[in-house]
Amino acid sequence: MNDTARYRLLLCGLGGLTALLFLLSLGVGPAAIAFSESIRALFSDQRDAIALIMREVRLPRALLGLMIGATLGLSGAALQGYLRNPLAEPGLIGISAAASLGAVLAIYSGLTAMFALALPLAALAAAVVAVVVVQMLAGLRGGALSIILAGVAVSSFAAAMTSLALNLSSNPFAAMEIMFWMLGSLTDRSMVHVWLSAPFMLLGWVMLAMLGRALDALTLGNDTAASMGIDLRRVQFLAVFGTAASVGAATAVAGAIGFVGLVVPHILRPLVGSRPSRLLPASALGGASVVLAADIAVRLIAPERDLKLGVLTAIVGAPFFLWLVYRTRRRLA
C-alpha cells in the first residue's frame, strides 16, 4: 500500500471514529433515554421532553464538541507547521488567554447578569483585540520568533489581568463562576452558542486550510519557500488570523480547553509523513474525536460532580507533554 492509500485510509478511519463519537455524544447524558429513542426524537416533529432534551441540550453540546475539537486540532497543526516548532499550540499566540480575560471581565463587571450573551461576545471582542496587538507587535515582516514573543507578551498580560480580577473580586459567587468558566466545559450550552461561534470557526478553518502548500514549502526554509512564489506575509496573516478567528470563537463559548492542539498533531504526524498539508485535515478530525471522547468521559466518570472538560484534557495532556520533553532531551543528548 502506497503513502496516498494509507493517508486516505487514515482519514476514513478518523472520519468514521468522529461520526461514531458524535452519535455516542448524542446518546449519553443524565437522562435515561434509550439511544434509538433519542435519535428518533431528534428528527421527529414532536415537542415532548425527550425531543427538547435532544435539541436544546445534547445536540448543541455534540456540535460544539465536534467544532471545537476540529478547531483546536487544525490550528495546532497549522501553527506547528508555520512556526516549525513541534511544541507550538493554539494558546501560544495569546488568543486563548485574551478570550478568557474578556469573559472574566464580563463576569466581573456584572454584564452576564444583564445580558446572557455578554460572556461569549466579550471573549470574542478580546480575542480580536489580542490578534490585532500580536500582529502590530510582530509586524507584517516579522518572522516566527516575533509571533511567538508577541504571543507570550499578550498571554502574560492577559493572565495577569485575569488574576487581578480574581484578586479584587468582592463577590465570592462571581469569583467561583470565573474559576469554573476558565476550567473549560460544554455543559449548559445551547444552539445560540453554536450559531454565534460557527461563522468565526468556519472563517478560521478556511484560512488555515489555505496554508497547505505554503506549509509544505516552509519545511525547506523561508528563502526557498519565497523563491517558490510563497508570499510569507500572506502566510503569516492566514496563520495568525485563522487561528485567532477559530480558537477565539471556541474559547468564547467553551472556556480554555488545553493540550488538544498540542497532543493531536504529535500523535498523527508519524502516520501522515513529512508533509504538513496532510496533517491539517487529519488533525482536525483527530481533535474532534478527542474532544468528543473527553466530553463523553466527563459525563460518565462523575456525572453528579460536573467534572470540567478542560480538567480532563489537562490530566491526559500534561503527562504527554512531559513525555515529549523527555523524548526531545534524549534525542539531543
Side-chain angles (χ1 to χ4, degrees):
M1 186 181 297
N2 58 34
D3 290 343
T4 301
R6 282 197 297 266
Y7 176 66
R8 290 175 179 172
L9 182 62
L10 173 65
L11 290 184
C12 290
L14 289 173
L17 177 62
T18 302
L20 175 62
L21 290 171
F22 182 81
L23 291 175
L24 288 176
S25 181
L26 290 174
V28 174
I33 306 173
F35 179 77
S36 58
E37 186 179 3
S38 64
I39 298 299
R40 187 165 55 251
L42 181 63
F43 294 101
S44 70
D45 296 330
Q46 300 177 1
R47 296 187 176 274
D48 55 6
I50 297 178
L52 185 65
I53 290 172
M54 293 302 300
R55 295 169 188 164
E56 301 298 328
V57 178
R58 292 190 183 178
L59 180 60
R61 186 166 185 164
L63 286 173
L64 285 174
L66 177 71
M67 294 160 54
I68 291 170
T71 289
L72 296 176
L74 176 60
S75 58
L79 283 181
Q80 288 179 15
Y82 170 64
L83 299 175
R84 279 153 291 172
N85 184 344
L87 299 182
E89 54 98 21
L92 186 65
I93 60 176
I95 305 303
S96 299
S100 297
L101 174 60
V104 166
L105 293 178
I107 298 172
Y108 181 79
S109 62
L111 288 176
T112 53
M114 297 183 290
F115 179 43
L117 291 179
L119 190 151
L121 290 174
L124 277 172
V128 171
V129 172
V131 72
V132 171
V133 172
V134 168
Q135 193 66 67
M136 289 175 59
L137 290 174
L140 288 176
R141 297 182 181 277
L145 181 59
S146 300
I147 293 291
I148 293 174
L149 293 176
V152 169
V154 171
S155 293
S156 300
F157 178 78
M161 295 302 295
T162 300
S163 300
L164 180 63
L166 283 169
N167 185 210
L168 298 180
S169 178
S170 58
N171 186 340
F173 297 103
M176 185 178 298
E177 185 179 357
I178 290 171
M179 289 300 299
F180 281 164
W181 188 87
M182 291 176 62
L183 295 177
S185 177
L186 298 178
T187 305
D188 298 329
R189 301 312 189 261
S190 68
M191 289 302 296
V192 174
H193 294 89
V194 174
W195 296 123
L196 177 65
S197 60
F200 296 95
M201 290 193 197
L202 288 173
L203 174 62
W205 296 349
V206 171
M207 296 176 74
L208 294 176
M210 294 169 64
L211 290 172
R213 176 175 173 270
L215 295 182
D216 288 344
L218 282 173
T219 59
L220 304 175
N222 284 0
D223 294 337
T224 304
S227 68
M228 295 170 62
I230 301 299
D231 187 345
L232 298 181
R233 288 181 296 180
R234 177 177 177 272
V235 172
Q236 177 182 314
F237 176 84
L238 291 175
V240 173
F241 279 88
T243 300
S246 55
V247 175
T251 307
V253 296
I257 300 175
F259 289 100
V260 176
L262 172 66
V263 171
V264 170
H266 269 282
I267 293 175
L268 296 176
R269 185 173 287 109
L271 303 178
V272 301
S274 58
R275 292 177 59 182
S277 59
R278 287 188 170 185
L279 186 60
L280 297 180
S283 293
L285 291 172
S289 296
V290 167
V291 173
L292 285 170
D295 189 49
I296 293 170
V298 298
R299 283 178 270 178
L300 296 176
I301 294 173
E304 71 286 350
R305 299 300 298 272
D306 189 23
L307 177 63
K308 299 300 181 183
L309 178 60
V311 174
L312 182 61
T313 58
I315 289 174
V316 175
F320 183 85
F321 183 80
L322 293 175
W323 175 77
L324 283 178
V325 174
Y326 174 73
R327 190 181 68 170
T328 303
R329 191 188 69 177
R330 289 194 60 183
R331 184 185 304 158
L332 296 177

